[in-house]
Amino acid sequence: MTAESRPRPLWLRPRELLRLILGVVGVFVVRAYGVAGALSAALSDGETFAQKAKDGLLVIPNLAERYDQANYLIEHRAQIQSAVDYLHNHAPSSDQLASAAQQSARTLERLSTSYDEVTQAQESLTATGPTNFWQTLPEVKDHISAAWTAWPDLDSIERLRKVSDDVVPFLDQVNAMDIDFPRIYSAVLSVADNFASDEIVATLVAMGMVLLLGYVAGLAVAFWARRGRPGLLATRLHELGGRTFHRWYAANPEFAPSLHAGPRARIAREIVADPEKALAGDDVDALQRYFDDRRERLADNSG
């Protein structure tokens, strides 16, 4: 190839340079989309393959929601840690909780019975008149007696008060956190559910589908940007292979990188128009000898 036919440097071809820049950016974007789509499918809260694939394709809204959940967890990590520490330091044992619950239930039940009996006695007194006074008086007496019998002793009420004193600070601690626990649990449970035995296949297939889509789209963008030429690394490897195994390629040209039809046609036109300009000196002499020999053969055949 002569100096005149060599391509100008890339920086002197702004349109080609812009095309390559757009290609590099485009390949990065679509492949990043594929990776982000696989991550989106892994974090999806969908139950079916179609829902996971949809979340894998709708990368931005799904990952934005997951980011919001993670950011919420990070912002409230101090409050959550405070609640965990409080539970660790103040929570009673399971036996103590069971005993306190049973005792409190019995005390509350007796209080409820006393209240019901007092209410019924009040209703009987309200319905009492001069004509039925002696008839309703025993009924009122029975209700008052039952209320007094059901009323819990002072020890039971004291235990109930102590339970309330223990529970109120814990409730205050939980209420003071103002944390949306379902919002936190949903993200963690979604990931665990996606890789459970009943959903892991659908999750992996959805992830692979989006990754493959990003890879194929990246190949298409690179093909457009380089006009079908190999990349920089592949080009350098071809050149190195051609120099290293020059004799083998000369003996086996069918394995050499193919020459596009467009450049072949241009080379042919340049040789026909001006062989001395298109070819090196030795090649021009060889071509001249070929035509001289051919001319002699034709003259001998005609004679």
Side-chain angles (χ1 to χ4, degrees):
M1 182 181 290
T2 61
E4 292 80 1
S5 61
R6 289 173 183 170
R8 292 178 297 168
L10 186 61
W11 59 273
L12 292 177
R13 294 176 289 155
R15 295 183 63 181
E16 192 71 14
L17 180 61
L18 177 61
R19 187 186 187 95
L20 291 177
I21 292 175
L22 291 177
V24 171
V25 174
V27 170
F28 174 79
V29 169
V30 295
R31 289 184 177 173
Y33 166 83
V35 175
L39 178 62
S40 178
L43 300 178
S44 171
D45 57 358
E47 297 293 334
T48 64
F49 169 76
Q51 293 172 337
K52 297 179 190 298
K54 180 181 178 181
D55 287 337
L57 295 175
L58 300 178
V59 175
I60 295 178
N62 190 51
L63 287 185
E65 182 180 354
R66 300 295 168 260
Y67 173 80
D68 182 63
Q69 291 175 340
N71 190 50
Y72 185 85
L73 175 61
I74 293 173
E75 289 179 351
H76 293 80
R77 66 186 184 279
Q79 292 175 299
I80 296 173
Q81 185 62 45
S82 175
V84 172
D85 293 340
Y86 183 87
L87 288 174
H88 178 73
N89 296 327
H90 297 87
S93 65
S94 58
D95 295 337
Q96 292 175 326
L97 286 175
S99 176
Q102 293 174 359
Q103 293 175 1
S104 300
R106 287 196 297 267
T107 302
L108 291 174
E109 183 180 1
R110 296 183 67 177
L111 285 172
S112 177
T113 302
S114 297
Y115 177 78
D116 292 339
E117 294 293 340
V118 171
T119 302
Q120 293 178 15
Q122 183 181 4
E123 292 176 353
S124 298
L125 284 174
T126 304
T128 300
T131 58
N132 63 348
F133 176 78
W134 295 107
Q135 290 80 6
T136 57
L137 183 60
E139 184 179 349
V140 173
K141 179 179 176 297
D142 291 340
H143 286 307
I144 295 296
S145 178
W148 180 260
T149 302
W151 186 259
D153 55 22
L154 291 178
D155 291 338
S156 299
I157 295 176
E158 181 63 24
R159 284 194 297 268
L160 182 60
R161 185 194 63 80
K162 188 176 182 304
V163 170
S164 352
D165 291 341
D166 293 338
V167 170
V168 168
F170 171 74
L171 294 178
D172 292 340
Q173 178 73 13
V174 174
N175 292 329
M177 289 192 301
D178 190 23
I179 296 176
D180 187 2
F181 285 100
R183 187 176 181 183
I184 296 174
Y185 295 151
S186 61
V188 179
L189 293 177
S190 295
V191 177
D193 192 40
N194 286 338
F195 290 94
S197 58
D198 58 336
E199 293 190 21
I200 187 172
V201 174
T203 301
L204 293 179
V205 171
M207 293 174 64
M209 181 191 70
V210 181
L211 280 174
L212 180 61
L213 178 62
Y215 177 75
V216 172
L219 289 180
V221 173
F223 184 84
W224 170 85
R226 295 195 294 262
R227 302 182 189 274
R229 292 172 295 177
L232 180 63
L233 178 61
T235 300
R236 294 296 175 264
L237 288 175
H238 287 170
E239 292 176 355
L240 179 62
R243 291 193 301 269
T244 305
F245 307 104
H246 177 73
R247 294 183 179 179
W248 186 85
Y249 277 115
N252 302 274
E254 65 274 12
F255 295 105
S258 60
L259 189 63
H260 292 180
R264 288 182 58 186
R266 177 176 175 178
I267 292 172
R269 288 197 304 269
E270 290 179 353
I271 293 175
V272 172
D274 191 346
E276 294 182 351
K277 182 178 178 181
L279 301 175
D282 295 341
D283 294 332
V284 173
D285 294 340
L287 185 64
Q288 183 66 42
R289 288 193 298 271
Y290 167 78
F291 282 113
D292 290 343
D293 294 342
R294 185 170 182 273
R295 191 178 300 109
E296 291 176 2
R297 290 196 301 270
L298 291 176
D300 293 340
N301 292 334
S302 61

